[in-house]
């Protein structure tokens, strides 16, 4: 059974470790992440962006696929199926489809509108027993080939959204999605500490978890980050392992072109990365025992 993320995140916050929220793209991603977390006895969140949801033929397909893969693999660790960066309409659709956790990202609205919509969505998610994440400020990334340095959320705005009863809060502390530029300024720990204080210790979410130096993420976890989102790093290890397989000509040996063989090294690379991250990076290994 898939679960809400509230309990796993609250336990992580109290225990000063983090839950990995790994984005999924297809069946291979789901299997690799679930098997990796089961092997390490780690709770986990599977993140689904609206784009990836469309790619996987809609939220109903995603829910059915994740539930059935979860059951057929005999997964025993807590697993939450979470909408990543949901729009107002998208969050409602994910809730209706059976997701167990949603993010409503109203950060592109003026603050008053973000506040009103977040309030509505928090009430809706909680009325159905789901956990919910909202976002304050913005998280940078690459747009038109230009990578921004990452915004800093306003601690007072964070406090206002935290007081609505959101379960965990995404707040910019200089983090960005995708690859970090060479001149990236790093995470802003002073701002993180201010936000943790202004929100009275609300569990915080670190987006853009790929490529941040590990000691910075670990320091952020000690300062109140309880969920770390990872997407790009899984994509990079998958692509790298697949390229090596093809460059070695293995797809041309015997039935090496069979997708079950062709996609196996990439899938294993994702599982290995997830196992390494939950054990050596987030500290969630063994927390599902
Ligand atoms: P990365 O792709 O940088 O890991 O970011 C993932 C993320 O934050 C998803 O919301």
């Amino acid at each position: 059974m898939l679960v809400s993320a509230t309990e796993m995140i609250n336990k992580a916050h109290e225990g000063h470790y983090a839950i990995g929220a790994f984005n999924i793209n297809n069946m291979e991603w789901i299997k690799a992440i679930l098997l990796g977390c089961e092997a390490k006895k780690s709770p986990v969140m599977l993140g689904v962006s609206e784009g990836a949801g469309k790619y996987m033929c809609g939220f109903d397909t995603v829910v059915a696929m994740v539930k059935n893969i979860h059951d057929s693999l005999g997964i025993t660790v807590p697993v939450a199926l979470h909408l990543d960066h949901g729009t107002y309409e998208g969050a409602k659709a994910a809730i209706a489809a059976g997701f167990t956790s949603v993010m409503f990202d109203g950060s592109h609205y003026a603050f008053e509108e973000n506040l009103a919509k977040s309030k509505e969505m928090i009430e809706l998610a909680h009325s159905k027993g789901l956990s919910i994440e909202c976002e304050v400020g913005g998280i940078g990334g690459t747009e038109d080939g230009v990578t921004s340095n990452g915004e800093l959320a306003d601690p007072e705005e964070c406090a206002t959204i935290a007081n609505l009863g959101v379960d965990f809060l995404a707040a910019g502390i200089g983090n960005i999605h995708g690859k970090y530029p060479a001149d990236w300024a790093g995470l802003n720990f002073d701002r993180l500490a201010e936000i943790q204080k202004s929100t009275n210790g609300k569990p915080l979410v670190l987006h853009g978890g790929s490529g941040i130096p590990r000691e910075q993420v670990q320091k952020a976890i000690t300062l109140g980050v309880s969920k770390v989102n990872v997407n790009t790093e899984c994509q990079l290890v998958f692509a790298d392992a697949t390229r090596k397989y093809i460059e070695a000509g293995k797809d041309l040996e015997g039935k090496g072109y069979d997708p079950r063989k062709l996609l196996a090294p990439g899938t294993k690379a994702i599982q290995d990365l997830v196992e390494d991250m939950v054990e050596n990076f987030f500290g969630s290994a063994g927390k599902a025992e």
Side-chain angles (χ1 to χ4, degrees), residues 2 88 93 96 122 127 139 174 183 187 204 214 216 219 229-230 237 243 266 280:
L2 304 176
Y88 181 77
I122 290 167
S127 75
I139 304 217
D183 61 349
L187 296 178
L204 301 176
R214 290 196 169 197
Q216 289 197 31
K219 185 166 177 190
N229 288 11
V230 177
V237 296
R243 180 165 16 80
N280 303 315

Side-chain angles (χ1 to χ4, degrees), residues 8 36 42 51 75 77 91 99 101 131 133 146 155 157 179 181 209 220 231-232 258 281:
M8 67 173 87
S42 169
I75 301 297
V77 298
F99 276 59
S101 184
S131 47
E133 169 181 349
V146 179
E157 290 185 358
K179 288 186 178 177
N231 186 18
T232 303
D258 179 330
F281 200 10

